[in-house]
Amino acid sequence: MNPKWNGQFSCFDLVAKTDECPRSVVRVGDIEIGGNDFVVMAGPCAVESESQLLQTAVAVVDAGARILRGGAYKPRSSPYSFQGLGVEGLKILRKAREETGLAIVTEVMSEEDVEVIAEHADIMQVGTRSMENYALLEALGRCGRPVLLKRGMTATLEELLRSAQVLAMAGNPQIILCERGIRTFETATRNTLDIAAVPVLKTVSHLPVVVDPSHAAGVRSLVPTLSRAAVVVGADGLLVEVHPCPEQALSDGDQSLSFGEFRCMMADLQPYLDLQHPEQKEQHQFCPQLLAVGGAD
Ligand code: PEP
Ligand code: MN
């Protein structure tokens, strides 16, 4: 290991990689994140209606996703943007789980909402704007659900692992780290996907690491390429935005994939997954018949 990394990260003893604990697996039902599987979480940026979410849930599970994403409480850059359906959105997420068997990941923005969201969701998402909200992290320490901790858009990896340590110290060791792009001087993409973050985090921490190519890219055309990169550098999974009609999405439509684009992307990832995990070749057959379908809806 690069000695610099070791010195920098070993103080976060609950999340740092050690010989005794080289990797940890977060279990959600029969899904293992950080084990040998590559776990895809997909769905709309925001839950907008029952039909929007249920249609999306069916499409993503058919294409091989294991977890459904969808924000019921939305942190928006503008106060005039759609703020999410709140508890109504949580109920819709729950219904989608009942109908498809998909586990649910959804964002929690405030410690006051932890209890109600933990009743409905399987994984609690901490967004980029909340990574250093320590009151929220403390409350999540006691929530009994795994946490998907997104990297702050201006946070270093050291700061990300510090927040993970806060969560673990608060009593919750079930943490999934998420690289979702950081702010740099580059403006061609919404954020800059720090692809090196994946191997660095996998070297210094035992926690699973997933990549969110959608918020990194800001445009849907880049999402399949960034997803491929995530597989190749050893990520444990993806968090991807998918919408029945991206042009009409109430949030993040530009970076959301249509159902057809998502199916194609999953098929495109297959050979890269086979290379990464030859022993898993059979299990990674997401949706072989779709290789022939191609095209976008
Ligand atoms: C999201 O996942 O929809 C989201 C708001 O992500 P981030 O916190 O990374 O901006
Ligand atoms: Mn979004």
Side-chain angles (χ1 to χ4, degrees), residues 45 74 215 241 252 255:
C45 178
K74 292 305 300 173
H215 290 86
E241 288 185 335
D252 287 348
Q255 66 198 32

Side-chain angles (χ1 to χ4, degrees), residues 1-11 157 196 199-201 203-204:
M1 182 186 300
N2 182 325
K4 175 175 185 272
W5 298 346
N6 196 26
Q8 217 175 340
F9 298 106
S10 53
C11 57
L157 296 180
V200 172
L201 290 170
T203 304
V204 301

